[in-house]
Amino acid sequence: MSVEIIAIGGYQEVGKNMTAVRINDDVVIFDMGIHLDRISMHEDTDIDRMHSLDLIERGVIPDDTLMKDVDGKVKGIVFSHGHLDHIGAVAKLAHRYDAPLIGTPYTAALIEKQIKGERKFKVTNPIKVLNPGSKVKLSKDITLEFVQSTHSIPQAVFPVLHTSEGTIVYALDFKFDNHQKVSPPPDYKRLKEIGKKGVLALIVETTNAKNYDEVKTHSERVAKNILEDVMRGPLQEKTGMIVTTFSSHVERVQAIADIAKKSHREIFFLGRSMERFCGIAQKLGILNLPKNASIYGSPKAVNKALMKADEDRANYLLVTTGHQGEPDALLPRIANGRTPFNIKKGDNIIISAPIIPNPTNAANRHIMERRLKLKGARIYPNAHVSGHAGREDHREFLRMLKPQHIIPAHGDLSMLAAYAELAEEEGYRIGYDIHILRNAQAQVFKS
């Protein structure tokens, strides 16, 4: 009798997350994500016409060919939340497995949208919805539970496998936020109950593990306060105004809309991914936009909205993609003069997103900001709080669950090692009960 945890993707990089857990003859797969850094990609990038083998070769999606050598039948493909580094490869890989795709209602709707846009493969896997706080039996020996979590996207969960061989918790990604508007707080009570019963293994993200200044991640309530302070003056001015943020960060989008709805400005949410993430959230009743807000996704509709705003810039607020300075995203194109909206002296640009740690992102963001400044724009960078747990949040999480074994994930080697160092402070030991895996490696626990 044994449990095997197989690192498929996300154990050498931030992104393309995919992990398989084998319990005797049954297999459960967690996530099928893309690696945004590997090609010139951002939230609006279209990979629908690209072949999976080409994407694997480029390192964009996980190399799951190793699953051919895994003994056992896949009983379910489980998604922790709807970010592209967790669901972006589903349309390229899921058809290889005779198993349902399982996610919360919002995640399931995003997966369905992803599959509908696919042009290379026919994906017929059934999509099953599981609400936070609910369970479903995947096989005789495995029950899947979704425990409520919080992150920078709605309906993020901790998937928990209750098996005949022990409990496995998958914690990619999370933060402990008690003050979100669109998501309830994490279910601390249930996490503690699971910890008391015993956790065989915890597979856990390491995004902020190296950030020794990010001790405990601030709530989204703090981000809203920052935005309120920053947006107050520009909203009243007679100049152009742009806010850029993650289109998937529905909580942040809600905050921006709430702040701006009392102003005289009409709010335009612009970009294909804004339409995807926010449109679905609005349809499901997660996002509540005011009457003075509209979402435009197609290039034609976006250009029409930009033209309108350019002619009467004092009466519009533009909320766009492109916070990383990605060359083909909307805000960089505005900065480059490639849209009908022209930056003028005194325009206000608020960036509600950090620079995602990567030399390309840092360079692109610097170039974009310089171009905006040269045109006379006033820039407010990093009106943001993280969507990932800080080091003390991780420490608290370990004390709640008390796992027998820890497998750090979702990071490069330095991030995995930084998490291992934190776990050692809590009494764990590398090579004994902390297991550092690389892509294509596995860890077996025998009973």
Side-chain angles (χ1 to χ4, degrees):
M1 307 292 275
S2 67
V3 173
E4 183 179 15
I5 295 174
I6 304 155
I8 305 172
Y11 292 79
Q12 292 176 204
E13 60 278 299
V14 178
K16 69 173 188 183
N17 297 290
M18 186 171 176
T19 301
V21 178
R22 183 183 61 78
I23 297 94
N24 302 319
D25 295 325
D26 296 332
V27 178
V28 177
I29 291 173
F30 290 115
D31 290 341
M32 290 179 167
I34 57 176
H35 186 9
L36 291 163
D37 295 342
R38 275 304 169 104
I39 56 178
S40 182
M41 297 177 70
H42 51 80
E43 291 175 302
D44 285 337
T45 297
D46 185 357
I47 63 168
D48 299 337
R49 298 182 185 280
M50 299 178 72
H51 197 283
S52 58
L53 294 177
D54 184 36
L55 291 167
I56 287 171
E57 190 176 335
R58 295 189 191 198
V60 177
I61 66 174
D63 184 356
D64 70 334
T65 55
L66 61 90
M67 290 298 290
K68 294 175 184 175
D69 299 323
V70 175
D71 292 329
K73 178 172 172 50
V74 176
K75 296 294 183 177
I77 303 169
V78 179
F79 298 90
S80 55
H81 63 281
H83 278 147
L84 290 177
D85 56 342
H86 296 260
I87 70 165
V90 64
K92 302 298 181 184
L93 302 178
H95 66 281
R96 303 180 189 187
Y97 306 94
D98 180 18
L101 312 175
I102 306 169
T104 57
Y106 184 57
T107 303
L110 291 169
I111 288 169
E112 187 176 12
K113 183 94 171 174
Q114 195 87 11
I115 289 170
K116 280 182 179 176
E118 176 60 22
R119 295 291 176 266
K120 277 286 182 186
F121 301 102
K122 187 173 177 59
V123 181
T124 58
N125 304 61
I127 299 174
K128 292 189 176 181
V129 170
L130 187 64
N131 287 305
S134 299
K135 296 178 182 178
V136 64
K137 202 163 182 62
L138 299 183
S139 72
K140 180 172 65 75
D141 292 330
I142 304 173
T143 297
L144 169 67
E145 178 181 6
F146 274 177
V147 178
Q148 176 66 48
S149 177
T150 47
H151 184 36
S152 52
I153 191 169
Q155 297 185 359
V157 290
F158 298 112
V160 178
L161 295 183
H162 301 281
T163 84
S164 56
E165 304 304 306
T167 297
I168 295 107
V169 178
Y170 184 77
L172 276 66
D173 300 322
F174 74 100
K175 68 184 286 188
F176 289 152
D177 195 336
N178 304 314
H179 305 288
Q180 290 196 11
K181 184 172 182 178
V182 303
S183 300
D187 191 344
Y188 302 112
K189 181 183 176 185
R190 183 59 186 144
L191 290 171
K192 288 174 183 174
E193 288 172 353
I194 291 168
K196 281 181 183 176
K197 289 179 181 176
V199 172
L200 172 65
L202 168 64
I203 304 163
V204 60
E205 67 144 309
T206 63
T207 309
N208 280 340
K210 276 172 62 178
N211 190 346
Y212 292 87
D213 295 327
E214 191 74 52
V215 177
K216 187 167 179 62
T217 303
H218 293 304
S219 165
E220 270 299 308
R221 185 168 65 176
V222 173
K224 186 175 182 182
N225 288 342
I226 294 168
L227 281 167
E228 281 177 330
D229 286 342
V230 170
M231 290 174 67
R232 181 182 286 111
L235 280 171
Q236 296 169 4
E237 293 177 11
K238 297 187 183 299
T239 54
M241 183 175 177
I242 300 174
V243 179
T244 182
T245 192
F246 297 95
S247 54
S248 58
H249 203 327
V250 176
E251 178 79 23
R252 191 71 53 79
V253 167
Q254 183 71 66
I256 292 164
D258 287 348
I259 294 163
K261 72 179 177 182
K262 298 171 186 175
S263 74
H264 66 280
R265 292 179 185 255
E266 193 173 343
I267 313 163
F268 287 165
F269 291 94
L270 304 176
R272 195 166 66 95
S273 62
M274 281 286 180
E275 186 177 53
R276 182 197 313 139
F277 287 103
C278 297
I280 290 173
Q282 198 174 24
K283 186 178 177 182
L284 293 177
I286 297 167
L287 176 64
N288 183 21
L289 292 180
K291 291 179 181 177
N292 64 333
S294 305
I295 305 172
Y296 299 105
S298 72
K300 187 176 179 181
V302 169
N303 282 338
K304 193 174 178 181
L306 289 171
M307 202 175 298
K308 197 173 180 181
D310 191 60
E311 292 170 358
D312 187 17
R313 62 210 305 108
N315 288 314
Y316 292 93
L317 166 63
L318 307 179
V319 184
T320 75
T321 56
H323 43 80
Q324 297 305 304
E326 317 95 316
D328 292 327
L330 187 52
L331 184 55
R333 286 195 292 114
I334 291 172
N336 293 343
R338 291 167 54 200
T339 75
F341 186 86
N342 298 294
I343 297 295
K344 293 182 179 178
K345 188 174 176 59
D347 286 348
N348 292 283
I349 316 290
I350 297 165
I351 303 175
S352 187
I355 298 174
I356 297 171
N358 173 285
T360 303
N361 290 339
N364 285 339
R365 175 86 160 250
H366 175 75
I367 291 166
M368 179 184 73
E369 289 188 21
R370 288 297 303 159
R371 283 177 175 155
L372 290 167
K373 285 179 182 177
L374 286 170
K375 292 185 178 185
R378 187 178 183 188
I379 298 176
Y380 304 80
N382 202 23
H384 178 70
V385 300
S386 177
H388 296 269
R391 285 178 65 84
E392 291 308 310
D393 297 307
H394 279 295
R395 196 185 305 277
E396 187 179 345
F397 193 45
L398 287 174
R399 292 179 181 184
M400 278 184 209
L401 293 180
K402 303 178 181 67
Q404 294 177 46
H405 297 274
I406 298 169
I407 297 178
H410 201 345
D412 60 29
L413 184 57
S414 65
M415 295 161 72
L416 307 186
Y419 190 95
E421 179 187 53
L422 171 69
E424 284 195 324
E425 292 173 8
E426 291 299 303
Y428 294 88
R429 287 185 291 159
I430 293 176
Y432 178 69
D433 45 21
I434 306 168
H435 310 281
I436 305 290
L437 301 181
R438 311 297 276 152
N439 293 344
Q441 292 183 343
Q443 179 64 44
V444 178
F445 305 116
K446 291 189 180 293
S447 60

